[in-house]
Amino acid sequence: MKSRAQIKSHPIHPILVSFPIGLFISTFLFNLLGLLFDSSNFHQTAGYLAVAGIGFALLAAIPGIIDYIYTVPPKSSAKKRATKHGLTNVMVVAIFSIALLLAAEDVSLLIITALQGIAVVMLSFAGWMGGTLVYRNQIGVDPRYADAGKWKELYVENAQGDIEVASSDELGVNQMKLIHANGKRIVLCKTEKGFAAFDDRCTHKGGSLAGGALICGTVQCPWHGSHFDVTNGNVKAGPAKEKINTYRVSEMNSKVYISL
Ligand code: FES
């Protein structure tokens, strides 16, 4: 689903992470060259690269945390993966920071380089998980199937009872809108027969249905293709086995309401 930290649908986190990745790997390589050629110039350059890498890593973490909170579907396999991805990166930054402090204390450069080598391996693992989050879980992807219209999202504070979520003419047939209300993620959609609303959570592994496709009253999960009837939540095709939760939708004075 679409990233919350984005510029014109381009997620900012993947743009920024290339800097710390390049800088941390360069830090390790320059220290390695310093050891090979016994040159302090290489080690000095590695020190500057490490400082820059830590700075850019902290910067890249900001949109990453925003997407972790707002974009990655809660209680999903992607949330677990994103948690591991974030924690691994925190450890990488911690190791490079500790290595910097050790270098200032004149600890053996062999030990420092070895530590950074371990961190680079961890960085690769974190990058692998980041790739899975994008290419498999579609975190930050803004897919537009035919006639889906622009991505629509609404945050409602202190929602209770019937909440106003759209105007009657806001959605075309087969279009969806993601509603955040009291920590819940609910999808409002319009079918040929009218409006319907359901949980934005596939019962298979927690995929965001708002990022899927809606056709003839059936929503398809973008992760593994489960199909659900949006009017009663029933599973029409697996791998999901449990139905999704649905909500009562009403229209009044050209406004659409969902009953929580
Ligand atoms: S998460 Fe697997 S089909 Fe939806």
Side-chain angles (χ1 to χ4, degrees):
M1 61 177 281
K2 187 176 179 179
S3 163
R4 186 84 195 281
Q6 45 79 29
I7 301 168
K8 291 190 173 289
S9 288
H10 290 260
I12 299 169
H13 181 64
I15 297 171
L16 290 179
V17 293
S18 44
F19 292 98
I21 290 172
L23 289 162
F24 282 150
I25 292 172
S26 303
T27 302
F28 169 64
L29 291 178
F30 269 80
N31 268 333
L32 212 53
L33 288 172
L35 285 174
L36 282 175
F37 296 104
D38 196 19
S39 162
S40 62
N41 287 342
F42 284 120
H43 293 305
Q44 199 176 14
T45 305
Y48 294 136
L49 290 168
V51 171
I54 292 165
F56 273 105
L58 296 177
L59 191 65
I62 296 169
I65 291 168
I66 292 172
D67 277 343
Y68 177 77
I69 296 171
Y70 295 105
T71 308
V72 181
K75 297 185 203 157
S76 67
S77 57
K79 198 71 160 185
K80 288 183 197 156
R81 186 171 289 118
T83 303
K84 281 187 210 159
H85 167 77
L87 289 177
T88 308
N89 281 323
V90 166
M91 285 193 274
V92 169
V93 173
I95 291 174
F96 272 95
S97 303
I98 290 167
L100 260 185
L101 294 174
L102 294 178
E105 296 292 323
D106 281 338
V107 172
S108 157
L109 286 165
L110 189 61
I111 292 174
I112 290 169
T113 310
L115 270 178
Q116 291 173 339
I118 293 167
V120 165
V121 172
M122 290 170 68
L123 185 66
S124 308
F125 178 57
W128 177 276
M129 286 190 284
T132 307
L133 283 165
V134 174
Y135 299 116
R136 191 191 300 164
N137 298 139
Q138 303 180 24
I139 305 301
V141 175
D142 184 11
R144 300 286 82 194
Y145 56 92
D147 297 328
K150 279 196 169 178
W151 174 263
K152 289 191 172 70
E153 205 166 353
L154 174 72
Y155 285 78
V156 184
E157 301 294 336
N158 304 319
Q160 275 182 346
D162 289 354
I163 54 166
E164 183 186 325
V165 289
S167 57
S168 295
D169 59 356
E170 192 175 323
L171 296 180
V173 170
N174 292 336
Q175 292 185 348
M176 298 189 274
K177 179 176 183 176
L178 179 59
I179 315 293
H180 299 260
N182 295 350
K184 281 187 174 187
R185 290 166 44 140
I186 301 168
V187 182
L188 173 73
C189 73
K190 189 168 186 181
T191 70
E192 288 81 354
K193 293 179 183 166
F195 288 99
F198 51 89
D199 272 342
D200 179 42
R201 185 178 186 282
C202 174
T203 51
H204 178 225
K205 291 199 172 180
S208 166
L209 298 173
L214 176 70
I215 298 166
C216 298
T218 297
V219 67
Q220 181 184 34
C221 176
W223 286 7
H224 313 97
S226 291
H227 288 188
F228 300 94
D229 185 323
V230 298
T231 52
N232 55 25
N234 287 342
V235 178
K236 292 177 105 178
K241 291 189 168 55
E242 282 175 49
K243 63 185 287 191
I244 50 171
N245 198 21
T246 55
Y247 297 84
R248 193 173 70 81
V249 182
S250 55
E251 266 185 279
M252 207 178 3
N253 299 330
S254 303
K255 305 279 186 206
V256 183
Y257 297 84
I258 292 178
S259 302
L260 292 182

